[in-house]
Amino acid sequence: MEGLFSIDAWFTLAMLVLLQAVLGFDNLLYISIESKRVALDRQAFVRRAGIGLAIVLRLILLFVVMRAIEYFQEPFATIDWPGIVEGTFNVHTMIVLVGGAFIIYTAMKEISHMLIIEEIGDHKARTPRSVASAITWIVAMNLVFSFDSILSALALTKVFWIMAAAIVISGLMMIFLADYVSEFLKKNRMYEVLGLFILFIVGVMLLSEGGHLGHLHLFGYVVEPMAKSTFYFVIGVMVVIDIVQSRYQKKLRMQADIERGKPVEPA
């Protein structure tokens, strides 16, 4: 057992906190977007309460997983339609698949809402989600995201206090960063679409991971998991495209203003 004052224990703790931070980006984005669906004066409370409850449930989940991990991996259903769909499902697989499908649904619903053209003079605000409902979804999706991070942590250490400390530290970091991410999206509305498409890719990544865990074959093709490196590369490309496109649109607007003889403000 790694002692409290062991150098190895503290090094492992640092590695786990870093791992939680890297794996928690998609979770942080979901929390920021979900919290925007409640009343403005309750959004910060929803983020903090949701993450706080999720930290407690993560610790409980960690305790349960460490003692019953084989039950999560035990298959309970099999699909065998040769040439169409083949796969074996366990609790872990279903959690990841359902979570991925729900995130894709959430992203597409928000994107479609942004594309709705309101009638002129119709100023009806969108019905906000209740605080309890938003917190419930934040906690639920936090657990979906945390399941893989807990299994990854078990590959580094089996010491409960190290993993528990990493969960608490990363959770506190998430509470701190969630406000900044939400504020950034609020001040830079054009990045909301980018964030929703990133969330969509997160859902695709979870579906691919769930399909891989379930040894899923679709029409004879094996479902392979999306690598984290691929995920971050795609995000990087999307961010660069968004920045270049926004600057190009600004340039086109300036050229149009010049052609109309409108004075152009210096950049």
Side-chain angles (χ1 to χ4, degrees):
M1 179 177 176
E2 297 179 59
L4 180 61
F5 298 104
S6 167
I7 295 178
D8 289 341
W10 287 101
F11 177 76
T12 304
L13 175 60
M15 291 297 295
L16 283 177
V17 171
L18 180 62
L19 175 67
Q20 294 280 341
V22 172
L23 296 177
F25 169 78
D26 40 18
N27 192 7
L28 188 62
L29 183 62
Y30 176 83
I31 291 168
S32 300
I33 291 175
E34 182 66 28
S35 66
K36 290 182 59 183
R37 303 178 67 182
V38 303
L40 182 62
D41 60 337
R42 304 292 286 168
Q43 291 178 7
F45 170 78
V46 164
R47 290 191 291 271
R48 296 189 179 97
I51 298 172
L53 286 173
I55 291 174
V56 175
L57 292 179
R58 273 193 181 199
L59 294 174
I60 297 173
L61 179 63
L62 172 62
F63 182 83
V64 171
V65 169
M66 288 186 68
R67 281 156 179 76
I69 188 170
E70 65 273 9
Y71 296 108
F72 286 98
Q73 308 301 334
E74 189 70 27
F76 65 82
T78 300
I79 295 179
D80 188 13
W81 298 339
I84 304 176
V85 180
E86 300 173 61
T88 303
F89 300 94
N90 54 35
V91 175
H92 183 192
T93 301
M94 293 307 300
I95 289 174
V96 177
L97 285 174
V98 171
F102 177 77
I103 288 175
I104 289 177
Y105 165 75
T106 299
M108 293 306 299
K109 185 172 69 173
E110 291 298 315
I111 290 170
S112 64
H113 175 76
M114 296 176 95
L115 295 177
I116 293 176
I117 301 176
E118 305 277 347
E119 290 186 10
I120 297 176
D122 184 6
H123 300 291
K124 286 194 302 181
R126 187 183 182 186
T127 304
R129 173 170 283 182
S130 70
V131 170
S133 175
I135 291 176
T136 299
W137 282 116
I138 287 175
V139 170
M141 296 314 301
N142 196 288
L143 291 178
V144 170
F145 285 116
S146 67
F147 204 94
D148 279 345
S149 65
I150 287 175
L151 293 178
S152 301
L154 286 171
L156 294 179
T157 183
K158 298 294 188 294
V159 182
F160 179 81
W161 79 262
I162 293 178
M163 289 185 284
I167 288 173
V168 173
I169 293 172
S170 61
L172 294 175
M173 290 171 57
M174 198 173 293
I175 290 176
F176 176 76
L177 292 174
D179 288 342
Y180 283 93
V181 172
S182 181
E183 192 64 27
F184 176 82
L185 291 176
K186 190 185 301 181
K187 292 180 179 178
N188 300 272
R189 298 295 301 275
M190 63 180 180
Y191 290 115
E192 282 189 61
V193 177
L194 176 63
L196 288 170
F197 273 103
I198 291 176
L199 203 62
F200 179 85
I201 296 174
V202 169
V204 173
M205 181 178 66
L206 285 176
L207 284 182
S208 69
E209 178 66 22
H212 173 70
L213 291 170
H215 308 289
L216 199 63
H217 291 66
L218 294 176
F219 303 104
Y221 295 96
V222 179
V223 176
E224 299 288 352
M226 179 187 293
K228 277 286 184 180
S229 56
T230 302
F231 171 69
Y232 287 116
F233 176 76
V234 171
I235 289 178
V237 170
M238 290 178 66
V239 170
V240 171
I241 291 175
D242 199 76
I243 292 173
V244 172
Q245 183 174 347
S246 62
R247 291 188 177 181
Y248 183 61
Q249 287 177 339
K250 183 177 180 181
K251 177 183 175 182
L252 291 178
R253 285 196 299 268
M254 290 176 64
Q255 288 179 339
D257 290 341
I258 291 173
E259 291 174 359
R260 290 197 301 267
K262 185 179 179 179
V264 178
E265 295 181 3

